[in-house]
């Protein structure tokens, strides 16, 4: 069957995948593209939660979809039920870099800016709540007369509570939003303890909001006992520890009826301290929970999510794409298995199981070969221990060999499964891949070979971009290059090993703060992955790492964990170059190469080789 | 901070200005710096031959205490000494003390000029951002309506200079304040000479709508080729890209103001200039003078760490400039504080 991508041939309009940042999407756009993963529905609860997700994992979309104004537009049975019961009313507050960097008083330490910070967040929360109130009033009071009456009461109440000094009278909710912006813009910075004029919206974090919610609930004819207001704080990664303490303080004292949902990058929500000396918060359901947003690419939900994004965006070009899937768009080779793509580029004979086994045995270590001799009559064991285990390594070895031949191009990194794997569970990365696929589909057939080219180019470019990540970007790029090459050497060495993308890191290497921070940066931006436990508790020598499948494409590594080797340091670190105290930010290329030279990294081979 | 008005802002031609010196009898105050770049004396070297000597021409030369004695510093100091001008020691981080010195020098120049007009010339080619972006407002306030200010920039050869990537802590808001809940945000990113650094800024900002601007090649083929190849991936992600005529400051400034106004109708506009100094200055001034709600100008600082290696940027020979009039203390003040008395909230 012809891949649906062929229908884009000659299309000259805007690439529908050119946008990949959800922060400023309109409510309509957010809703139309939204695919509810199970995590989303589970966030409608009474528990304060911190959502940890890599850049582009969909945190913003999820938080914005928790807001009432988006939820009410969402056509889904569960959403209908939530909308009807109104037990959870969400409002969304972005804490983006511009907001935080523009907070005045930068000459004053953050520890002394807490009152002003809390005032600024309160202003933002008030503006956001006002936005949601419009939708709530509309839904709660369908009759215009009753709605206008209720709106008048709400305006009058909030005006008294938040703007007691205002001489101008607010006639509509928009006026209150305008007042909020004016107060925020005009209130000069004050250090903690100093006098200020922001009476209504100052005070502890979200307190002006918490104070008005019971009365508001009553005015809106909501169940005042049962209704929870979900305050969704996005981009908390830009918060410094003193500001995080304000959030912790709120979570510790549990200001009903507000429940916090805070989104941040992994490893950015570290402090457990509150504003009260000696009092700290505990995760694990005591004061709050950590929730991981990232989906493994192999999950069915990720396939559904990517299909949904693909179909929704392609519909902007042609509505007949409404039911497309990635498989249908790219076309399928065989059953979309690795052997199918291998067979497409290698000879028929090479693809046959018997010949594959022979080729595998030829490349295995003497030890492995002698083991084979012992079990060769047990076909099931041969299948699991040799064919299934080593075929992926054999494929990628052979594909690389063929690809390096002159005038030969393979179609190995191709197909829907590979595209999703390269996206690594990250919706934004998937959108970027789809962008590149559409660009080519405009003028060319998306054959497996062409897809391979697109994905390879994408991977190389993305890995290069890693150098531009903040602070440790250049070091991360060097590490990815170095580890990628070492993992590839295990795959393509003289002796075939059960290699993959997985590895662990020896404690000597992790002793380098620079190295550790670069790994953490890689994890936050989906260039590296680790086990869930380490995402919560921090990385250690028992953390199971793997490089992103971008690296697997660039270096021809099998897209699986494999027997993870350990990354070791050949030498002791020469202090003080790698001590944090001596660390100069951002790390330069020279410092990165110097560190890697000092560490003299190598992979300790697994014992089974 | 006072918002400059930039009255009668116009692009200034260096050659025409030099030709006009002989026909005018203005008293002049020239403000320059002496640092490790040879470029730091280029404007002065090119002007001193045609400028009358003291007292008609006075000099204020700030000598950086950072990287003292490195690269071309001694040669720069020697040059100023040969003109009979000493340097005032100043750390590049000491913005306030430099600005105070300027204020004082201007005050004295006006006092000495009496009823005659004066010209103030600022060579900002080697000045730190926080100095030269504050100077227009300060000078406009300090000078009378009949006085004129000239800002000069000696172009440098940057093609092989490598900077470090940026981190979140390097972002500082120079002017403006974002909206609490912007309907939409557009980031206007001024591209510098270091692709990795631009990528770093991009990755921190994570823009949804990206608009890129960079200077016109001005016939420099190497530069044009470098921009096209280095920034291909950023250009591909940008909704709109424009080249600004760095040699015509008034036009670049005006185009930036138009961009702020146009994209400001959609929501917040965040400027992040990281290109050559004239465009950083134009972006900063455009945000300051427009005072559009939700328009913000970031400065991304270049941290001079111990690993920082100074580069002796040489002048290419071309000098770009602009001028404007003094305001005689008629400038406006940003964001007046909230009155203590009860009052209405209006924007």
């Amino acid at each position: 069957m012809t891949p649906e991508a062929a229908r884009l041939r000659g299309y000259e309009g805007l690439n529908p995948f050119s946008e990949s940042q959800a922060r400023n999407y309109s409510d309509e756009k957010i809703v139309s593209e939204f695919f509810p993963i199970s995590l989303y529905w589970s966030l409608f609860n009474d528990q304060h939660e911190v959502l940890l997700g890599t850049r582009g994992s969909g945190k913003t979309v999820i938080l914005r979809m928790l807001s009432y104004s988006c939820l009410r537009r969402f056509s889904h049975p569960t959403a209908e039920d939530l909308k009807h019961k109104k037990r959870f009313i969400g409002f969304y507050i972005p804490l983006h870099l511009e907001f935080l960097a523009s907070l005045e008083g930068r000459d004053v330490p953050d520890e002394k800016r807490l009152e002003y910070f809390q005032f600024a967040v309160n202003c933002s929360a008030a503006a956001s709540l006002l936005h949601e109130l419009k939708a709530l009033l509309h839904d709660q009071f369908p009759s215009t007369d009753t709605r206008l009456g209720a709106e008048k009461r709400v305006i009058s109440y909030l005006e008294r509570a938040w703007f007691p000094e205002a001489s101008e009278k607010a006639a509509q909710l928009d006026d209150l939003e305008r007042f909020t912006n004016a107060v925020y813009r005009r209130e000069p910075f004050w250090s903690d303890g100093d006098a200020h004029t922001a009476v209504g919206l100052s005070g502890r974090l979200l307190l002006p909001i918490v104070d008005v919610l019971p009365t508001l609930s009553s005015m809106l004819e909501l169940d005042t006992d049962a209704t929870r207001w979900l305050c969704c704080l996005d981009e908390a990664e830009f918060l410094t520890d003193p500001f995080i303490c304000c959030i912790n303080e709120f979570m510790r004292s549990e200001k009903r009826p507000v429940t916090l949902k805070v989104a941040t990058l992994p490893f950015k929500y570290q402090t457990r301290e509150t504003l009260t000396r000696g009092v700290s918060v505990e995760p694990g359901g005591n004061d709050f929970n950590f929730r991981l947003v990232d989906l493994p690419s192999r999950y069915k939900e990720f396939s559904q999510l990517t299909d949904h994004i693909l179909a929704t965006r392609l519909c902007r070009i042609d509505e007949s794409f409404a039911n497309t899937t990635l498989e249908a768009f790219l076309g399928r080779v065989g059953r979309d298995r690795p052997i199918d793509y291998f067979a497409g580029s290698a000879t028929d004979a090479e693809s046959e199981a018997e010949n594959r086994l022979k080729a595998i045995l030829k490349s295995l270590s003497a030890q492995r070969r002698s083991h084979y001799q012992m079990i060769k009559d047990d076909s099931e064991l041969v299948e699991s221990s040799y064919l299934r285990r080593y075929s992926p390594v054999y494929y990628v070895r052979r594909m690389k060999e063929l690809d390096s031949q002159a005038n030969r191009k393979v179609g190995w990194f191709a197909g829907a499964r590979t595209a999703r794997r390269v996206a690594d569970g990250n919706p934004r990365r998937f959108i970027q891949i789809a962008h590149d696929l559409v660009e080519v589909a405009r003028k060319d057939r998306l054959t497996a070979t062409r897809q391979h080219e697109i994905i390879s180019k994408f991977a190389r470019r993305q890995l290069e971009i890693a150098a531009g990540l903040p602070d440790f970007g250049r070091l991360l790029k060097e590490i990815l290059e170095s580890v990628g090459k070492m993992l590839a050497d295990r795959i393509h060495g003289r002796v075939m090993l059960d290699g993959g993308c997985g590895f662990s890191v020896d404690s000597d290497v992790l002793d380098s703060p620079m190295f550790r921070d670069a790994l953490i940066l890689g994890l936050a931006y989906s260039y590296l992955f680790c086990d869930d436990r380490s995402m919560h508790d921090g990385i250690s020598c028992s953390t199971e790492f793997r490089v992103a499948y971008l690296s697997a494409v660039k270096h021809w590594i099998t897209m699986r964990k494999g027997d993870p080797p350990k990354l070791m340091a050949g030498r002791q670190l020469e202090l003080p170059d790698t001590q944090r105290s001596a660390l100069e930010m951002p790390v330069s290329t020279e410092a990165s190469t110097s560190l890697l030279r000092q560490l003299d990294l190598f992979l300790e081979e697994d014992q089974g080789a | 901070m006072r918002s400059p008005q930039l009255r009668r802002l116009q692009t200034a031609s260096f050659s025409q200005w030099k030709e006009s010196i002989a026909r005018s009898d203005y008293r002049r105050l020239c403000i320059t710096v002496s640092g490790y770049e040879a470029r730091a004396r280029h404007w002065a070297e090119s002007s001193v031959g045609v400028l009358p000597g003291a007292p008609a021409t006075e000099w204020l030369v700030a000598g950086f205490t950072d990287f003292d004695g490195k690269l071309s510093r001694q040669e720069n100091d020697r040059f100023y000494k040969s003109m009979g001008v000493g340097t005032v020691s100043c750390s590049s981080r000491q913005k306030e003390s430099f600005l105070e010195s300027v204020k004082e020098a201007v005050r004295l120049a006006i006092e000495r000029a009496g009823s005659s007009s004066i010209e103030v010339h600022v060579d900002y080619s080697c000045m730190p951002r926080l100095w030269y972006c504050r100077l227009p407002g300060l000078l406009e306030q300090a000078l009378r309506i009949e006085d004129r200010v000239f800002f000069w920039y000696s172009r440098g050869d940057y093609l092989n200079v490598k900077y470090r990537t940026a981190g979140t802590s390097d972002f500082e808001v120079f002017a403006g304040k974002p909206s609490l809940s912007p309907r939409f945000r557009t980031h206007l990113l001024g591209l510098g000479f270091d692709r990795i650094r631009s990528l770093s800024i991009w990755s921190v900002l994570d823009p949804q709508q990206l608009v890129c601007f960079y200077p016109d090649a001005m016939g420099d083929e190497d530069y044009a080729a470098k921009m096209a190849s280095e920034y291909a991936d950023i250009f591909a992600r940008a909704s709109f890209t424009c080249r600004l005529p760095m040699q015509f400051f008034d036009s670049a400034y005006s185009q930036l103001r138009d961009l702020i106004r146009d994209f400001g109708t959609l929501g917040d506009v965040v400027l992040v200039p990281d290109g050559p100094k004239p465009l950083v200055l134009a972006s900063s001034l455009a945000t300051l003078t427009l005072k559009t709600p939700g328009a913000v100008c970031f400065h991304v600082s270049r941290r001079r760490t111990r690993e920082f290696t100074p580069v002796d940027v040489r002048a290419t020979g071309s000098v770009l400039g602009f001028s404007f009039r003094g305001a005689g203390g008629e400038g406006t003040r940003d964001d007046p504080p909230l009155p203590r008395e009860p009052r209405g909230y209006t924007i």
Side-chain angles (χ1 to χ4, degrees):
Chain A
M1 211 171 92
T2 315
E4 291 187 11
R7 280 156 48 200
L8 293 179
R9 199 73 178 268
Y11 170 70
E12 288 178 346
L14 182 73
N15 188 325
F17 297 93
S18 52
E19 301 157 3
S20 56
Q21 201 341 328
R23 193 199 293 132
N24 298 110
Y25 285 3
S26 66
D27 287 356
E28 257 176 325
K29 200 167 171 183
I30 284 272
V31 175
S32 70
E33 275 204 359
F34 185 62
F35 178 82
I37 56 170
S38 49
L39 170 86
Y40 170 70
W41 298 120
S42 72
L43 293 173
F44 289 95
N45 65 46
D46 294 352
Q47 178 74 50
H48 299 308
E49 290 176 311
V50 176
L51 280 67
L52 302 177
T54 59
R55 192 56 83 88
S57 60
K59 302 183 293 293
T60 297
V61 172
I62 288 173
L63 284 194
R64 286 198 59 191
M65 280 304 298
L66 287 175
S67 70
Y68 181 76
S69 51
C70 285
L71 178 75
R72 68 195 280 268
R73 289 166 181 258
F74 188 34
S75 174
H76 187 283
T78 316
E80 294 293 338
D81 187 50
L82 285 162
K83 199 160 65 185
H84 175 70
K85 288 180 180 157
K86 295 192 181 58
R87 264 212 63 202
F88 299 99
I89 310 286
F91 55 105
Y92 172 81
I93 306 171
L95 297 174
H96 47 78
L97 180 66
E98 291 85 339
F99 175 74
L100 291 165
S102 68
L103 282 186
E104 290 168 33
R106 282 177 71 95
D107 298 340
V108 177
D110 285 348
E111 290 79 1
K112 291 276 174 198
R113 299 164 80 207
L114 299 182
E115 287 181 17
Y116 187 75
F117 164 74
Q118 293 177 94
F119 156 74
V121 176
N122 290 343
C123 287
S124 189
S128 170
L129 184 63
L130 288 165
H131 177 72
E132 300 306 327
L133 286 178
K134 286 179 209 163
L136 273 165
L137 282 162
H138 190 274
D139 291 354
Q140 288 294 83
F141 305 102
S143 144
T144 312
D145 285 350
T146 46
R147 183 166 67 244
L148 287 175
E151 187 174 347
K152 203 174 161 190
R153 287 190 293 279
V154 166
I155 291 168
S156 166
Y157 171 65
L158 289 180
E159 197 172 17
R160 282 198 309 277
W162 290 345
F163 311 102
E165 293 187 337
S167 55
E168 186 189 340
K169 293 299 279 180
Q172 46 193 345
L173 285 169
D174 285 344
D175 290 337
L176 292 182
E177 260 190 86
R178 194 163 51 83
F179 287 4
T180 312
N181 270 294
V183 167
Y184 170 65
R185 218 181 338 264
R186 291 189 178 178
E187 183 65 36
F189 171 76
W190 76 90
S191 287
D192 290 358
D194 288 356
H196 61 91
T197 57
V199 181
L201 288 167
S202 60
R204 286 282 169 101
L205 191 78
L206 299 173
L207 201 61
I209 311 297
V210 171
D211 284 348
V212 299
L213 287 177
T215 308
L216 272 185
S217 295
S218 160
M219 286 175 163
L220 294 165
E221 297 179 6
L222 299 169
D223 182 337
T224 46
D225 290 331
T227 306
R228 290 286 170 273
W229 297 75
L230 306 181
C231 176
C232 306
L233 292 172
D234 196 12
E235 298 184 88
E237 63 267 24
F238 294 120
L239 296 178
T240 56
D241 280 355
F243 296 157
I244 291 178
C245 288
C246 297
I247 295 177
N248 286 346
E249 179 78 19
F250 186 93
M251 295 200 289
R252 183 77 177 87
S253 49
E254 197 201 336
K255 302 273 190 334
R256 281 173 187 256
V258 170
T259 301
L260 282 185
K261 306 289 168 185
V262 183
T264 185
L265 289 177
F267 309 101
K268 288 286 185 182
Y269 206 97
Q270 295 295 315
T271 184
R272 300 285 177 269
E273 287 175 27
T274 65
L275 297 178
T276 315
R277 192 183 290 271
V279 177
S280 55
V281 284
E282 282 179 39
N286 294 316
D287 298 305
F288 72 100
N289 271 329
F290 278 122
R291 304 292 301 272
L292 293 180
V293 176
D294 291 71
L295 281 173
S297 59
R298 64 180 186 281
Y299 276 26
K300 194 179 170 193
E301 278 195 323
F302 188 64
S303 298
Q304 293 169 324
L305 169 68
T306 47
D307 283 345
H308 181 79
I309 294 172
L310 185 80
T312 314
R313 296 260 176 134
L314 287 175
C315 271
R316 292 187 206 163
I317 298 175
D318 182 347
E319 288 191 357
S320 65
F321 281 112
N323 295 316
T324 197
T325 61
L326 188 57
E327 283 77 3
F329 181 73
L330 295 177
R332 233 185 241 270
V333 172
R335 283 158 55 198
D336 205 25
R337 296 167 307 171
I339 178 74
D340 298 314
Y341 290 92
F342 178 80
S345 296
T347 61
D348 289 346
E350 281 176 313
S351 311
E352 284 169 15
E354 198 182 329
N355 291 333
R356 265 189 287 143
L357 182 62
K358 272 186 200 160
I360 287 168
L361 288 170
K362 214 168 130 187
S363 305
L364 285 175
S365 64
Q367 241 177 320
R368 283 267 172 224
R369 280 203 298 268
S370 57
H371 176 258
Y372 170 78
Q373 291 301 327
M374 291 190 292
I375 59 123
K376 66 180 179 186
D377 297 328
D378 184 339
S379 58
E380 271 184 30
L381 205 54
V382 168
E383 174 75 22
S384 65
S385 302
Y386 287 86
L387 261 177
R388 269 212 303 271
R389 187 174 180 189
Y390 288 101
S391 282
V393 185
Y394 167 68
Y395 297 149
V396 81
R397 280 167 70 104
R398 184 74 187 122
M399 286 293 100
K400 190 186 175 194
E401 269 172 31
L402 290 175
D403 197 67
S404 60
Q405 289 173 8
N407 301 322
R408 187 81 189 259
K409 282 186 176 166
V410 298
W412 172 242
F413 293 118
R417 200 160 81 146
T418 298
R420 286 197 187 98
R421 283 181 143 196
V422 176
D424 252 326
N426 188 297
R428 187 182 299 172
R429 192 168 284 168
F430 173 75
I431 291 171
Q432 289 163 347
I433 293 170
H435 173 274
D436 291 4
L437 289 168
V438 166
E439 280 305 302
V440 174
R442 289 170 189 267
K443 43 189 185 282
D444 209 349
R445 278 179 61 217
L446 279 185
T447 58
T449 315
R450 207 72 182 91
Q451 289 176 40
H452 177 99
E453 270 176 31
I454 296 164
I455 286 179
S456 301
K457 204 170 155 192
F458 174 80
R460 282 196 299 273
R461 206 175 58 236
Q462 290 297 312
L463 287 166
E464 203 185 318
I465 284 173
L469 294 180
D471 292 338
F472 297 93
R474 294 190 190 210
L475 177 56
L476 173 66
K477 183 176 178 272
E478 298 292 326
I479 292 172
L480 292 173
E481 187 64 20
S482 172
V483 173
K485 275 183 185 160
M486 284 191 275
L487 290 171
D489 285 347
R490 297 178 79 241
I491 304 277
H492 302 282
R494 196 177 53 80
V495 174
M496 186 189 282
L497 298 176
D498 179 13
C501 296
F503 64 100
S504 61
V505 183
D506 188 61
S507 53
D508 280 353
V509 181
L510 285 176
D511 279 347
S512 157
M514 265 168 93
F515 199 94
R516 175 184 281 269
D517 286 342
L519 291 181
I520 285 173
L521 179 72
L523 290 166
Y525 283 80
S526 306
Y527 283 97
L528 289 169
F529 291 82
C530 73
D531 54 283
D532 288 359
R533 194 190 166 89
S534 301
M535 287 287 261
H536 292 142
D537 301 341
I539 56 172
S540 68
C541 56
S542 58
T543 298
E544 294 171 12
F545 289 96
R546 79 162 168 83
V547 290
Y549 290 138
L550 293 171
S551 292
V553 171
K554 183 181 175 187
H555 298 286
W556 296 83
I557 307 170
T558 44
M559 289 191 191
R560 62 172 184 177
K561 187 175 156 192
D563 274 345
K566 184 171 264 187
L567 192 61
M568 310 281 288
R571 284 183 223 155
Q572 285 287 335
L573 285 174
E574 291 167 26
L575 299 176
D577 279 5
T578 51
Q579 286 295 325
R580 194 186 200 107
S581 57
L583 201 53
E584 302 284 14
M585 291 294 148
V587 174
S588 63
T589 307
E590 294 72 29
S592 308
T593 24
S594 157
L595 174 70
L596 294 189
R597 207 180 306 120
Q598 274 190 60
L599 285 170
D600 188 21
L601 296 172
F602 68 96
L603 289 177
E604 189 179 69
E605 295 299 339
D606 64 87
Q607 298 309 306
Chain B
M1 182 188 14
R2 301 222 176 242
S3 285
Q5 297 175 351
L6 305 184
R7 290 163 184 232
R8 298 185 59 186
L9 174 79
Q10 52 187 287
T11 294
S13 154
F14 186 52
S15 55
Q16 282 176 15
W17 170 71
K18 283 201 295 185
E19 281 167 25
S20 73
I21 290 174
R23 300 193 300 272
S24 63
D25 57 354
Y26 293 118
R27 291 180 75 101
R28 294 181 179 86
L29 169 64
C30 303
I31 302 166
T32 66
V33 295
S34 175
Y36 53 76
E37 292 181 30
R39 188 169 54 148
R41 63 174 190 278
H42 179 257
W43 179 82
E45 260 178 345
S46 312
S47 314
V48 73
V50 286
L51 281 169
T57 305
E58 293 169 72
W59 292 83
L60 171 65
V61 183
F64 293 122
T65 49
D66 339 36
F67 302 103
D68 199 0
K70 291 269 161 55
L71 304 174
S72 293
R73 176 58 192 274
Q74 287 174 346
E75 214 174 321
N76 290 341
D77 283 356
R78 267 198 301 275
F79 163 74
Y80 285 113
K81 205 174 168 186
S82 71
M83 288 164 49
V85 175
T87 56
V88 179
S89 290
C90 218
S91 160
S92 63
R93 293 178 188 86
Q94 286 175 339
K95 175 188 68 184
E96 296 307 329
S97 70
F98 170 72
L99 296 180
E100 282 306 314
S101 306
V102 171
K103 257 190 211 169
E104 182 56 15
V106 171
R107 192 189 62 76
L108 285 172
I110 291 173
E111 200 176 283
R112 286 172 193 149
S115 58
S116 309
S117 305
I118 68 163
E119 280 183 1
V120 175
H121 294 266
V122 179
D123 172 13
Y124 67 106
S125 317
C126 299
M127 279 185 191
R129 240 170 238 208
L130 278 177
W131 290 18
Y132 68 81
C133 289
R134 299 280 172 194
L135 277 178
L138 183 147
L139 290 170
E140 187 179 71
Q141 283 303 305
L143 292 170
R144 300 160 300 180
I145 292 170
E146 62 272 25
D147 300 327
R148 266 180 103 184
V149 188
F150 288 80
F151 274 70
W152 300 108
Y153 173 76
S154 302
R155 293 187 72 205
D157 178 8
Y158 274 104
L159 286 182
N160 297 313
V161 178
K162 287 270 177 229
Y163 291 105
R164 284 152 171 250
T165 59
T168 48
S169 54
D170 298 323
F171 285 76
E172 284 181 27
V173 170
F174 172 74
K177 206 167 184 175
S179 306
L180 285 169
S181 308
R183 285 166 289 145
F184 191 79
R185 282 194 301 162
T186 304
H187 285 84
L188 305 186
L189 176 60
L191 299 174
F193 296 97
D194 184 336
R195 175 172 172 271
I196 298 297
R197 184 176 159 83
S198 294
L199 285 171
S200 174
I201 292 170
W202 181 30
S203 71
V204 172
L205 292 172
D206 200 14
Q208 189 233 333
Q209 166 141 294
L210 176 69
V211 174
C212 293
F213 63 89
Y214 60 98
D216 247 350
M218 292 171 64
D220 182 344
E221 293 305 319
D222 283 353
Y223 171 76
K226 179 174 165 132
M227 291 305 282
S229 67
E230 294 277 285
Y231 291 104
D233 42 6
I234 294 189
F235 291 159
R237 300 284 169 202
S239 317
F240 181 62
T241 301
C242 61
R243 286 182 294 179
L244 298 177
M246 194 166 76
Q247 69 275 38
F248 301 113
F249 186 89
D250 52 358
S251 174
Y253 168 76
S254 159
Q255 285 186 43
L256 280 163
R257 281 167 61 96
D258 285 347
L259 286 172
I260 296 173
R261 279 199 205 96
D262 291 350
F263 288 103
T265 58
L266 302 174
D268 279 11
V269 181
V270 185
L271 279 94
V272 193
D274 201 49
K277 285 187 172 80
L279 293 190
V280 172
L281 184 54
S283 307
S284 306
L285 292 176
T287 320
L288 265 183
T289 53
L290 269 178
K291 291 191 283 183
T292 305
V296 181
C297 180
F298 267 121
H299 281 179
V300 188
S301 57
R302 300 183 193 277
R303 276 177 273 180
R304 288 189 175 176
T305 61
R306 267 176 294 188
E307 287 176 14
F308 175 81
T309 315
V311 179
D312 193 356
V313 178
R314 304 262 156 191
T316 60
S318 131
V319 178
L320 312 175
F322 66 94
S323 73
F324 58 92
R325 293 269 178 200
E330 289 178 20
T332 54
R333 206 175 161 76
D334 280 342
D335 304 328
L338 280 172
R340 303 281 153 170
E341 296 299 315
R343 44 156 198 80
Y345 296 100
T346 48
I347 293 173

